[in-house]
Amino acid sequence: MPVIQIPTALRSFTERKSEITVAGATVGEAIAKLAEAYPDIKQHLYQGAELRSFINVFVGETNIKKMQALDTPVKDDDTIMLVPAIAGGIQG
């Protein structure tokens, strides 16, 4: 089964686990299984039924936006990375 790497900012919703093994034939199914297993993370990943726009998702080193988005197929040995975008800073 694919593994989802959990960013530090979201680990408080996954019992501090950095990786979660989930079922799923696509990225969307795998992330949905993650949210099903850890319901408190769902509000941080989804806005309604859609994945939040600031959550970037990679399979291996490839952003799924360059693939089939949430319909991207995953294999049992794939690693899915959730990468929240970071914004802000100080203007000088």
Side-chain angles (χ1 to χ4, degrees), residues 26-89:
T26 66
V27 170
E29 289 177 8
I31 294 174
K33 290 290 185 186
L34 172 69
E36 184 179 304
Y38 298 94
D40 290 341
I41 201 171
K42 185 174 183 176
Q43 66 179 327
H44 301 283
L45 298 178
Y46 291 97
Q47 184 166 10
E50 301 293 322
L51 198 64
R52 291 185 177 271
S53 61
F54 61 84
I55 300 289
N56 292 300
V57 181
F58 293 79
V59 174
E61 296 182 5
T62 305
N63 190 323
I64 64 167
K65 291 177 183 174
K66 296 179 179 177
M67 302 166 84
Q68 298 173 44
L70 292 175
D71 293 329
T72 301
V74 289
K75 300 179 298 246
D76 283 351
D77 61 345
D78 277 336
T79 299
I80 300 167
M81 293 188 300
L82 303 175
V83 182
I86 297 173

